[in-house]
Each structure stands twice: as structure tokens, then as C-alpha cells.
Amino acid sequence: KDIKANIATGLGQTKEFKTVAILIKLLNDDSWNVCQNSVNSLVQKGDQVIEPLVDALKTANYNAAFWITKVFSRIGTKGIDVLKMFLKFKNPNVRILVCEALGDTNLEEAIKPLLQCLKDEHWAVRQNAVEALSKHGSKVVEPLIFFACTEKSDISGLIPFSGKSGIRRLLRLSSSCSMKNAKPGFLLLNISGIPVLNGQSSRSSVP
């Protein structure tokens, strides 16, 4: 396995396109090191891996799909564009993996598609979208508030944010947002244990 892992690393050093297909096959290896090294090598190759990976993801098993989405999460906005496309995939397991990958990237472009996943028909997709959004930290507060204000769907969720500044920002935004589409008593968010009902915190102030 060490030899195969080293080969995967070495293939990342060459620019030859034919090595892309080899690395994609290695993403289905039963060794974590082999798969991780293959991901690293594919990322190094840049945009040339996008089309072959898209084709591979269409028929990949769960293990290979997991690693393919990891590659897309690391190749910038073009990778996010591909992940967004696969959020329309019928298999919910693929959509779950896409949510996880969108949570791995620190790009703000990943937030909007994750918000849309809060409306997915499959509960596991919605749950993974919540977890992925939480990885983006305070950057997601504003988009989430305005998304909640404009959507009629029940997008209740538990979104953990750390820090008092994030709570203050949420309450400031929620107070300026019309909640006409939210249901009475609608639990919009729970941030650091503070429930927000229809834009009002259960506490009178935040220390």
C-alpha cells in the first residue's frame, strides 16, 4: 500500500493527461493513504481534471464519489460550480457528499447552494447542509437570515456559531428583516443555545 500511495504522489508531479485516469481509478482503492494522495495529485493538475472527474462521478460508487467530491472542494470556484450541478443528482447519497464537500471549502460561493439544500426532500441532505453551513462560521449568518426571510419553506435548523459578536450580528439582522413568511413560533435558528423565534431572541439582550 505504501508503494501504491507513493505512486499516486508521483503521478501528481507529471503534467501528462493520461495520468488523470490512473489517479481517478486509485480513488476507489481500499487504502485511505492511496486515495488521499490521489486527491492531492489531482488537485495539483488543475482544471484538466474537471471533465474526467465529472464523468467518473456519474457512475462512481460511494467510496470513489466521496473522494471525487473532495477534489472538487479544493479546486476553487470551478469546483463549486460542478458540485452545484450534482446537487440535482437523483441519488441522495451523492447530494450528501456534495454538501460535505461544500462545507470543506472556505469560499463564500459555497454558501448559497448549501442554503438551497435546506429545502431538499431528503432529511439527511438537509442535515448535512446544516453541518456544512456551520463550518463556514459567521460568514453564513447574513445570507442565512435573508434566506429565511424570503423562503416559505420550513428551514428550521440548529446552526452553531461561536462568539458573542456572531449572536449580536444575527439579532441585529433579524430585527431589520420582515418575517412575514415565517410561521408563528417558527424556530429559525439556535445560536449558542439562544433560540430565535420570528426574529426575536428569547433573551432580552446579549451580554
Side-chain angles (χ1 to χ4, degrees):
K1 293 298 181 183
D2 288 340
I3 294 176
K4 195 182 293 187
N6 290 336
I7 290 174
T9 299
L11 290 175
Q13 307 304 314
T14 175
K15 295 182 179 180
E16 292 189 29
F17 181 74
K18 63 182 180 181
T19 61
V20 173
I22 300 172
L23 287 167
I24 291 175
K25 287 183 179 180
L26 289 176
L27 293 177
N28 201 32
D29 197 88
D30 58 4
S31 166
W32 188 92
N33 286 333
V34 172
C35 293
Q36 183 62 63
N37 289 359
S38 298
V39 167
N40 294 338
S41 291
L42 286 165
V43 170
Q44 290 177 31
K45 292 181 179 295
D47 292 352
Q48 66 173 319
V49 307
I50 293 178
E51 186 174 345
L53 284 173
V54 167
D55 291 337
L57 185 54
K58 292 176 181 177
T59 57
N61 60 25
Y62 185 86
N63 183 64
F66 172 85
W67 292 108
I68 291 172
T69 56
K70 294 299 182 186
V71 177
F72 286 131
S73 73
R74 293 175 53 189
I75 55 178
T77 56
K78 290 183 179 180
I80 291 177
D81 288 341
V82 173
L83 292 171
K84 287 164 57 177
M85 178 179 67
F86 277 95
L87 284 175
K88 301 177 182 178
F89 211 66
K90 290 184 177 181
N91 188 340
N93 289 328
V94 172
R95 302 201 301 274
I96 290 170
L97 290 175
V98 170
C99 286
E100 293 178 358
L102 289 171
D104 290 339
T105 177
N106 61 357
L107 297 176
E108 291 189 22
E109 288 83 354
I111 294 175
K112 186 174 180 179
L114 283 171
L115 289 174
Q116 293 299 320
C117 288
L118 296 178
K119 301 187 295 181
D120 194 277
E121 62 184 11
H122 199 283
W123 71 269
V125 176
R126 298 194 299 270
Q127 180 59 40
N128 277 271
V130 167
E131 294 174 1
L133 283 166
S134 71
K135 293 181 181 180
H136 286 274
S138 60
K139 291 186 297 184
V140 80
V141 172
E142 184 172 349
L144 180 56
I145 286 294
F146 286 104
F147 179 78
C149 291
T150 56
E151 291 293 329
K152 295 182 180 180
S153 303
D154 186 344
I155 56 169
S156 304
L158 182 66
I159 314 291
F161 292 97
S162 60
K164 295 178 181 178
S165 61
I167 299 171
R168 291 193 187 96
R169 188 178 183 202
L170 171 67
L171 296 178
R172 184 169 64 251
L173 285 169
S174 63
S175 65
S176 64
C177 176
S178 170
M179 298 297 290
K180 61 182 180 180
N181 289 329
K183 301 174 183 178
F186 173 57
L187 179 59
L188 175 61
L189 297 170
N190 187 312
I191 298 183
S192 299
I194 301 179
V196 179
L197 298 174
N198 289 352
Q200 298 297 321
S201 170
S202 61
R203 298 180 185 177
S204 59
S205 62
V206 179

